[in-house]
């Protein structure tokens, strides 16, 4: 699967989160990744994340794939629906370093 720059950044960010949580006890890894994404990724980022997961083979770490089951889906009853289909690439750059 060929990813555009924005999607590639989402994959890289998610995998970096997984890499951090690999240093934690095994029982905390999946939950830790999901909690971090739920807390710090805004709904449009999570929407794009789920689109990539559903397309398959985006290059996510297996811990990220396992965490997808407990990551909040945008538009769920506890979340307002999103009206924008576009992710602003600047949003991914804010506070992110390689």
């Amino acid at each position: 699967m060929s990813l555009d720059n924005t999607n590639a950044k989402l994959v890289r960010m998610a995998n970096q989160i997984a890499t951090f949580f690999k240093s934690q006890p095994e029982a905390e890894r999946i939950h830790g990744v999901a909690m971090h994404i739920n807390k710090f990724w805004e709904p449009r980022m999570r929407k794009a994340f789920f689109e990539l997961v559903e397309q398959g083979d985006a290059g996510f770490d297996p811990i990220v794939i396992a965490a997808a089951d407990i990551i909040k889906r945008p538009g769920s009853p506890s979340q307002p629906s999103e009206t924008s289909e576009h992710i602003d690439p600047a949003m991914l750059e804010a506070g992110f370093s390689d």
Side-chain angles (χ1 to χ4, degrees), residues 47-98:
K47 180 180 184 294
F49 166 78
F50 282 112
E51 289 170 356
L52 290 169
V53 167
E54 290 164 5
Q55 290 173 11
D57 197 27
F60 287 114
D61 185 286
I63 294 173
V64 175
I65 298 298
D69 289 338
I70 53 177
I71 294 172
K72 295 177 191 170
R73 285 190 175 267
S76 66
S78 63
Q79 304 257 137
S81 295
E82 291 302 307
T83 57
S84 175
E85 296 293 320
H86 175 72
I87 295 177
D88 181 357
M91 164 181 62
L92 297 174
E93 295 295 332
F96 179 72
S97 61
D98 289 323

Side-chain angles (χ1 to χ4, degrees), residues 12-23 29 33 61-64:
R12 187 175 74 226
M13 289 170 62
N15 288 345
Q16 286 178 325
I17 296 165
T19 297
F20 169 79
F21 280 100
K22 286 179 182 178
S23 68
R29 294 175 187 171
V33 168
D61 185 286
I63 294 173
V64 175

